[in-house]
Amino acid sequence: MEVFVVPDADAVASCAAREVLEGLARATARRSGARPPASGSPSTAKGQAGAKGAAAVGPAVSGPVVLGLATGSSPLGLYRELERAQGEGRVDLRAAHGVALDEYVGLLAGHPQSYREVLRREVGDRLGIDDARLHVPDGAHDDEASLAAAAADYEETIRGLGGVDVQILGIGVNGHLGFNEPGSALTSRTRVKRLAASTREENARFFDSVDDVPTHCVTQGLGTVLSARRLVLVATGEAKARAVANAVEGPLTASCPASVLQWHADAVAVLDEGAAGLLANRRYYDDSAAGL
Ligand code: GLP
Protein backbone atom coordinates (compact mmCIF):
# COMPACT_ATOMS: atom_id res chain seq x y z
CA MET A 1 0.00 0.00 0.00
CA GLU A 2 1.19 3.52 -0.73
CA VAL A 3 0.64 5.94 2.15
CA PHE A 4 0.74 9.70 1.73
CA VAL A 5 0.61 11.92 4.81
CA VAL A 6 -0.10 15.56 4.04
CA PRO A 7 -0.70 18.56 6.30
CA ASP A 8 -4.46 19.08 6.19
CA ALA A 9 -7.81 18.26 4.60
CA ASP A 10 -7.20 20.50 1.56
CA ALA A 11 -3.93 18.72 0.84
CA VAL A 12 -5.67 15.36 1.28
CA ALA A 13 -8.23 16.42 -1.33
CA SER A 14 -5.66 17.48 -3.90
CA CYS A 15 -3.30 14.54 -3.31
CA ALA A 16 -6.18 12.06 -3.48
CA ALA A 17 -7.53 13.70 -6.66
CA ARG A 18 -4.11 13.23 -8.26
CA GLU A 19 -4.11 9.54 -7.29
CA VAL A 20 -7.68 9.04 -8.53
CA LEU A 21 -6.96 10.76 -11.84
CA GLU A 22 -3.78 8.78 -12.34
CA GLY A 23 -5.84 5.59 -12.07
CA LEU A 24 -8.53 6.99 -14.37
CA ALA A 25 -5.91 8.04 -16.94
CA ARG A 26 -4.76 4.43 -17.09
CA ALA A 27 -8.39 3.34 -17.41
CA THR A 28 -9.01 5.83 -20.21
CA ALA A 29 -6.06 4.43 -22.14
CA ARG A 30 -6.98 0.83 -21.39
CA ARG A 31 -10.63 1.23 -22.30
CA SER A 32 -9.79 3.07 -25.53
CA GLY A 33 -7.25 0.42 -26.52
CA ALA A 34 -4.25 2.75 -26.20
CA ARG A 35 -1.15 1.82 -24.22
CA PRO A 36 -1.75 2.81 -20.58
CA PRO A 37 0.72 5.11 -18.81
CA ALA A 38 3.06 3.07 -16.60
CA SER A 39 1.81 2.58 -13.07
CA GLY A 40 3.79 4.43 -10.43
CA SER A 41 6.35 5.83 -12.86
CA PRO A 42 7.96 8.96 -11.46
CA SER A 43 6.10 11.17 -13.91
CA THR A 44 2.71 9.81 -12.90
CA ALA A 45 3.46 9.35 -9.21
CA LYS A 46 4.32 12.97 -8.68
CA GLY A 47 2.90 14.38 -11.86
CA GLN A 48 -0.04 16.38 -13.01
CA ALA A 49 -2.86 13.91 -12.56
CA GLY A 50 -1.61 11.92 -15.51
CA ALA A 51 -2.42 14.86 -17.79
CA LYS A 52 1.18 15.43 -18.85
CA GLY A 53 1.67 15.64 -22.57
CA ALA A 54 -1.98 14.89 -23.28
CA ALA A 55 -3.10 18.44 -24.02
CA ALA A 56 -2.79 18.08 -27.77
CA VAL A 57 -5.05 15.01 -27.92
CA GLY A 58 -7.60 15.97 -25.29
CA PRO A 59 -7.87 15.32 -21.58
CA ALA A 60 -6.00 12.33 -20.17
CA VAL A 61 -9.21 11.21 -18.48
CA SER A 62 -12.32 10.90 -20.61
CA GLY A 63 -14.84 8.41 -21.94
CA PRO A 64 -16.73 5.73 -20.04
CA VAL A 65 -14.30 5.19 -17.17
CA VAL A 66 -15.80 3.74 -13.99
CA LEU A 67 -15.33 5.68 -10.77
CA GLY A 68 -16.33 4.09 -7.47
CA LEU A 69 -17.92 6.64 -5.15
CA ALA A 70 -18.05 6.83 -1.37
CA THR A 71 -20.42 8.91 0.72
CA GLY A 72 -19.63 10.57 4.06
CA SER A 73 -17.75 13.81 4.64
CA SER A 74 -14.25 12.53 3.88
CA PRO A 75 -14.36 12.50 0.05
CA LEU A 76 -16.21 15.82 -0.42
CA GLY A 77 -13.02 17.86 -0.89
CA LEU A 78 -11.76 15.29 -3.37
CA TYR A 79 -15.00 15.61 -5.36
CA ARG A 80 -14.50 19.39 -5.44
CA GLU A 81 -10.98 18.83 -6.80
CA LEU A 82 -12.31 16.60 -9.58
CA GLU A 83 -14.84 19.31 -10.41
CA ARG A 84 -12.04 21.85 -10.55
CA ALA A 85 -9.90 19.64 -12.80
CA GLN A 86 -12.87 19.29 -15.14
CA GLY A 87 -13.54 23.05 -15.05
CA GLU A 88 -9.95 23.63 -16.09
CA GLY A 89 -10.32 21.18 -18.98
CA ARG A 90 -7.73 18.77 -17.58
CA VAL A 91 -10.22 15.90 -17.44
CA ASP A 92 -13.65 15.15 -18.85
CA LEU A 93 -15.74 12.94 -16.60
CA ARG A 94 -19.07 13.61 -18.28
CA ALA A 95 -19.16 10.16 -19.86
CA ALA A 96 -17.88 8.41 -16.73
CA HIS A 97 -19.95 5.97 -14.72
CA GLY A 98 -20.27 6.50 -10.98
CA VAL A 99 -20.66 3.37 -8.86
CA ALA A 100 -21.74 3.78 -5.24
CA LEU A 101 -20.42 1.61 -2.45
CA ASP A 102 -23.68 1.30 -0.59
CA GLU A 103 -27.24 2.45 0.05
CA TYR A 104 -29.59 2.50 3.02
CA VAL A 105 -32.48 0.07 3.08
CA GLY A 106 -35.96 1.48 3.35
CA LEU A 107 -35.57 5.16 2.45
CA LEU A 108 -38.14 6.30 -0.08
CA ALA A 109 -36.84 7.21 -3.54
CA GLY A 110 -35.79 10.85 -3.47
CA HIS A 111 -35.08 10.93 0.29
CA PRO A 112 -32.38 13.62 0.63
CA GLN A 113 -30.17 11.32 2.73
CA SER A 114 -30.44 8.32 0.44
CA TYR A 115 -27.01 7.78 -1.04
CA ARG A 116 -28.43 8.08 -4.54
CA GLU A 117 -29.52 11.63 -3.74
CA VAL A 118 -26.30 12.47 -1.90
CA LEU A 119 -24.17 11.29 -4.83
CA ARG A 120 -26.42 13.05 -7.33
CA ARG A 121 -25.94 16.33 -5.43
CA GLU A 122 -22.26 15.97 -4.59
CA VAL A 123 -20.96 14.26 -7.72
CA GLY A 124 -23.45 13.70 -10.55
CA ASP A 125 -24.80 17.24 -10.86
CA ARG A 126 -21.38 18.80 -10.43
CA LEU A 127 -19.52 16.60 -12.90
CA GLY A 128 -22.32 16.25 -15.44
CA ILE A 129 -22.74 12.51 -14.84
CA ASP A 130 -26.40 11.89 -15.49
CA ASP A 131 -28.63 9.58 -13.45
CA ALA A 132 -28.46 6.73 -15.94
CA ARG A 133 -24.70 6.54 -15.35
CA LEU A 134 -24.92 6.92 -11.57
CA HIS A 135 -25.26 3.39 -10.22
CA VAL A 136 -26.46 2.87 -6.64
CA PRO A 137 -27.76 -0.34 -5.04
CA ASP A 138 -31.55 -0.34 -4.83
CA GLY A 139 -32.47 -0.37 -1.14
CA ALA A 140 -36.08 0.69 -1.61
CA HIS A 141 -37.60 -2.72 -0.83
CA ASP A 142 -39.10 -4.09 2.33
CA ASP A 143 -38.66 -7.82 1.78
CA GLU A 144 -35.53 -9.91 1.91
CA ALA A 145 -35.95 -11.59 -1.46
CA SER A 146 -36.22 -8.29 -3.36
CA LEU A 147 -33.20 -6.89 -1.50
CA ALA A 148 -31.15 -10.00 -2.24
CA ALA A 149 -32.14 -9.69 -5.90
CA ALA A 150 -31.16 -6.01 -5.90
CA ALA A 151 -27.77 -6.93 -4.43
CA ALA A 152 -27.20 -9.59 -7.09
CA ASP A 153 -28.27 -7.13 -9.81
CA TYR A 154 -25.73 -4.66 -8.51
CA GLU A 155 -22.88 -7.15 -8.84
CA GLU A 156 -24.11 -7.77 -12.40
CA THR A 157 -24.15 -4.02 -13.11
CA ILE A 158 -20.55 -3.66 -11.98
CA ARG A 159 -19.51 -6.67 -14.08
CA GLY A 160 -21.35 -5.23 -17.08
CA LEU A 161 -19.39 -2.00 -16.76
CA GLY A 162 -16.13 -3.94 -16.94
CA GLY A 163 -15.40 -3.44 -13.23
CA VAL A 164 -14.56 -0.36 -11.22
CA ASP A 165 -11.41 1.46 -12.38
CA VAL A 166 -10.80 3.50 -9.24
CA GLN A 167 -12.71 3.10 -5.99
CA ILE A 168 -12.76 6.08 -3.62
CA LEU A 169 -13.09 5.03 0.02
CA GLY A 170 -13.60 6.60 3.41
CA ILE A 171 -13.21 4.71 6.67
CA GLY A 172 -15.53 4.46 9.65
CA VAL A 173 -14.29 5.08 13.18
CA ASN A 174 -14.79 1.33 13.73
CA GLY A 175 -12.82 0.48 10.59
CA HIS A 176 -15.82 -0.09 8.35
CA LEU A 177 -15.47 0.16 4.61
CA GLY A 178 -18.62 1.03 2.69
CA PHE A 179 -21.04 -0.41 5.22
CA ASN A 180 -18.98 -3.54 5.85
CA GLU A 181 -18.99 -3.52 9.62
CA PRO A 182 -16.44 -5.42 11.75
CA GLY A 183 -16.98 -9.14 11.25
CA SER A 184 -17.75 -8.80 7.52
CA ALA A 185 -16.35 -11.63 5.43
CA LEU A 186 -13.19 -10.59 3.61
CA THR A 187 -14.46 -12.17 0.38
CA SER A 188 -18.05 -10.91 0.65
CA ARG A 189 -20.00 -9.58 -2.35
CA THR A 190 -22.85 -7.06 -2.42
CA ARG A 191 -25.52 -8.00 0.14
CA VAL A 192 -27.84 -6.73 2.83
CA LYS A 193 -26.16 -5.95 6.16
CA ARG A 194 -27.24 -4.64 9.52
CA LEU A 195 -25.61 -1.34 10.52
CA ALA A 196 -23.63 -1.26 13.77
CA ALA A 197 -25.28 0.80 16.52
CA SER A 198 -22.19 3.08 16.57
CA THR A 199 -22.50 3.68 12.81
CA ARG A 200 -26.16 4.64 13.19
CA GLU A 201 -25.20 7.05 15.97
CA GLU A 202 -22.45 8.61 13.85
CA ASN A 203 -24.76 8.99 10.87
CA ALA A 204 -27.58 10.43 12.99
CA ARG A 205 -26.11 13.86 12.20
CA PHE A 206 -27.61 13.58 8.72
CA PHE A 207 -31.11 12.76 10.04
CA ASP A 208 -33.52 14.32 12.55
CA SER A 209 -32.71 11.64 15.13
CA VAL A 210 -30.91 8.31 15.45
CA ASP A 211 -34.27 6.56 15.21
CA ASP A 212 -34.61 7.84 11.67
CA VAL A 213 -31.34 6.22 10.57
CA PRO A 214 -32.12 2.98 8.76
CA THR A 215 -31.06 -0.22 10.50
CA HIS A 216 -29.91 -1.98 7.33
CA CYS A 217 -28.11 -1.29 4.09
CA VAL A 218 -27.16 -2.88 0.80
CA THR A 219 -23.39 -2.64 0.55
CA GLN A 220 -20.71 -3.81 -1.83
CA GLY A 221 -18.84 -6.61 -0.08
CA LEU A 222 -15.17 -6.48 0.77
CA GLY A 223 -14.52 -8.88 -2.10
CA THR A 224 -16.40 -6.53 -4.42
CA VAL A 225 -14.30 -3.59 -3.25
CA LEU A 226 -11.13 -5.63 -3.77
CA SER A 227 -12.14 -6.25 -7.39
CA ALA A 228 -11.66 -2.56 -8.26
CA ARG A 229 -8.41 -1.87 -10.11
CA ARG A 230 -7.23 0.87 -7.76
CA LEU A 231 -8.37 1.83 -4.26
CA VAL A 232 -7.91 5.35 -2.90
CA LEU A 233 -8.72 5.79 0.79
CA VAL A 234 -9.06 9.27 2.27
CA ALA A 235 -9.15 9.99 6.01
CA THR A 236 -8.80 13.13 8.06
CA GLY A 237 -8.83 13.96 11.75
CA GLU A 238 -7.70 12.29 14.96
CA ALA A 239 -10.98 10.45 15.38
CA LYS A 240 -9.90 8.20 12.49
CA ALA A 241 -6.33 7.60 13.73
CA ARG A 242 -6.98 4.24 15.47
CA ALA A 243 -9.01 2.85 12.56
CA VAL A 244 -6.38 4.03 10.07
CA ALA A 245 -3.50 2.46 12.05
CA ASN A 246 -5.42 -0.82 12.26
CA ALA A 247 -6.25 -0.71 8.55
CA VAL A 248 -2.76 0.18 7.33
CA GLU A 249 -0.51 -1.55 9.84
CA GLY A 250 -2.65 -3.99 11.80
CA PRO A 251 -3.35 -7.61 10.93
CA LEU A 252 -5.55 -8.42 7.94
CA THR A 253 -8.74 -9.19 9.83
CA ALA A 254 -12.50 -8.98 9.51
CA SER A 255 -12.40 -7.12 12.84
CA CYS A 256 -11.05 -4.17 10.87
CA PRO A 257 -12.73 -4.43 7.46
CA ALA A 258 -10.54 -1.66 6.00
CA SER A 259 -7.48 -3.85 6.58
CA VAL A 260 -8.42 -5.58 3.27
CA LEU A 261 -6.61 -2.70 1.60
CA GLN A 262 -3.42 -4.57 2.48
CA TRP A 263 -4.55 -7.38 0.19
CA HIS A 264 -4.88 -5.11 -2.85
CA ALA A 265 -1.94 -4.59 -5.21
CA ASP A 266 -2.78 -0.95 -5.98
CA ALA A 267 -4.14 0.64 -2.81
CA VAL A 268 -3.33 4.20 -1.76
CA ALA A 269 -4.12 5.85 1.58
CA VAL A 270 -4.11 9.65 1.72
CA LEU A 271 -4.15 10.98 5.28
CA ASP A 272 -3.81 14.23 7.13
CA GLU A 273 -1.60 14.53 10.22
CA GLY A 274 -4.49 13.78 12.57
CA ALA A 275 -5.55 10.57 10.84
CA ALA A 276 -1.92 9.46 10.52
CA GLY A 277 -1.14 10.15 14.19
CA LEU A 278 -0.87 6.51 15.30
CA LEU A 279 1.11 5.09 12.38
CA ALA A 280 4.34 3.39 13.44
CA ASN A 281 6.05 3.36 10.03
CA ARG A 282 5.58 7.05 9.28
CA ARG A 283 9.21 7.68 8.38
CA TYR A 284 9.08 5.00 5.69
CA TYR A 285 5.94 6.50 4.14
CA ASP A 286 7.49 9.96 4.06
CA ASP A 287 10.73 8.68 2.56
CA SER A 288 8.81 6.73 -0.09
CA ALA A 289 6.64 9.73 -0.95
CA ALA A 290 9.77 11.86 -1.29
CA GLY A 291 11.20 9.27 -3.68
CA LEU A 292 14.12 8.29 -1.39
C1 GLP B 1 -20.45 6.10 6.09
C2 GLP B 1 -20.26 5.41 4.73
C3 GLP B 1 -18.82 5.05 4.49
C4 GLP B 1 -17.95 6.22 4.95
C5 GLP B 1 -18.01 6.33 6.43
C6 GLP B 1 -17.21 7.49 7.01
O1 GLP B 1 -21.36 5.49 6.93
N1 GLP B 1 -21.09 4.28 4.46
O2 GLP B 1 -18.60 4.75 3.11
O3 GLP B 1 -16.61 6.01 4.57
O4 GLP B 1 -19.33 6.26 6.93
O5 GLP B 1 -17.88 8.73 6.91
P1 GLP B 1 -17.16 10.12 7.10
O6 GLP B 1 -16.28 10.30 5.93
O7 GLP B 1 -18.26 11.12 7.15
O8 GLP B 1 -16.39 10.03 8.37
Side-chain angles (χ1 to χ4, degrees):
M1 186 186 321
E2 263 193 296
V3 180
F4 295 104
V5 184
V6 295
D8 54 29
D10 286 347
V12 167
S14 55
C15 177
R18 187 190 74 206
E19 295 300 315
V20 166
L21 293 176
E22 182 187 305
L24 292 181
R26 283 208 296 274
T28 301
R30 198 177 53 79
R31 286 179 183 268
S32 69
R35 199 156 149 255
S39 167
S41 68
S43 65
T44 54
K46 294 211 182 53
Q48 313 296 313
K52 248 181 195 170
V57 292
V61 175
S62 62
V65 293
V66 181
L67 179 59
L69 302 168
T71 52
S73 326
S74 306
L76 294 180
L78 159 56
Y79 295 146
R80 293 304 85 81
E81 284 295 318
L82 297 181
E83 196 184 343
R84 192 149 70 106
Q86 180 155 288
E88 291 168 357
R90 290 188 280 128
V91 304
D92 183 354
L93 289 164
R94 288 171 301 173
H97 290 267
V99 172
L101 275 175
D102 46 16
E103 178 59 288
Y104 289 114
V105 165
L107 296 185
L108 293 176
H111 189 294
Q113 293 309 327
S114 71
Y115 283 171
R116 171 167 283 285
E117 285 303 311
V118 170
L119 291 173
R120 178 185 285 148
R121 278 197 305 273
E122 301 295 345
V123 182
D125 289 352
R126 291 162 181 269
L127 292 175
I129 300 176
D130 68 36
D131 275 0
R133 278 177 291 108
L134 199 55
H135 308 276
V136 184
D138 181 5
H141 300 283
D142 50 17
D143 67 287
E144 264 178 51
S146 306
L147 287 167
D153 283 355
Y154 200 60
E155 286 283 329
E156 203 41 59
T157 296
I158 294 173
R159 253 194 303 279
L161 292 172
V164 171
D165 292 313
V166 179
Q167 177 64 57
I168 295 169
L169 297 163
I171 184 171
V173 171
N174 66 358
H176 75 214
L177 212 55
F179 270 140
N180 292 279
E181 303 284 20
S184 294
L186 300 176
T187 55
S188 48
R189 310 302 302 193
T190 304
R191 72 247 186 265
V192 178
K193 286 296 282 183
R194 170 177 286 280
L195 298 179
S198 61
T199 298
R200 294 184 67 229
E201 280 154 23
E202 268 161 43
N203 289 3
R205 67 188 194 278
F206 299 113
F207 293 82
D208 290 338
S209 82
V210 69
D211 297 330
D212 295 329
V213 183
T215 54
H216 289 76
C217 64
V218 182
T219 182
Q220 283 190 33
L222 295 172
T224 318
V225 171
L226 285 173
S227 303
R229 294 181 181 83
R230 164 170 272 206
L231 305 180
V232 178
L233 174 84
V234 286
T236 57
E238 284 173 23
K240 298 288 175 70
R242 174 51 57 201
V244 165
N246 288 340
V248 175
E249 295 179 343
L252 177 60
T253 167
S255 298
C256 178
S259 65
V260 289
L261 263 78
Q262 297 176 38
W263 197 252
H264 196 284
D266 188 11
V268 182
V270 186
L271 314 168
D272 72 354
E273 291 288 348
L278 295 175
L279 292 176
N281 295 329
R282 172 67 186 272
R283 172 84 193 270
Y284 179 76
Y285 310 136
D286 290 349
D287 286 351
S288 300
L292 298 176

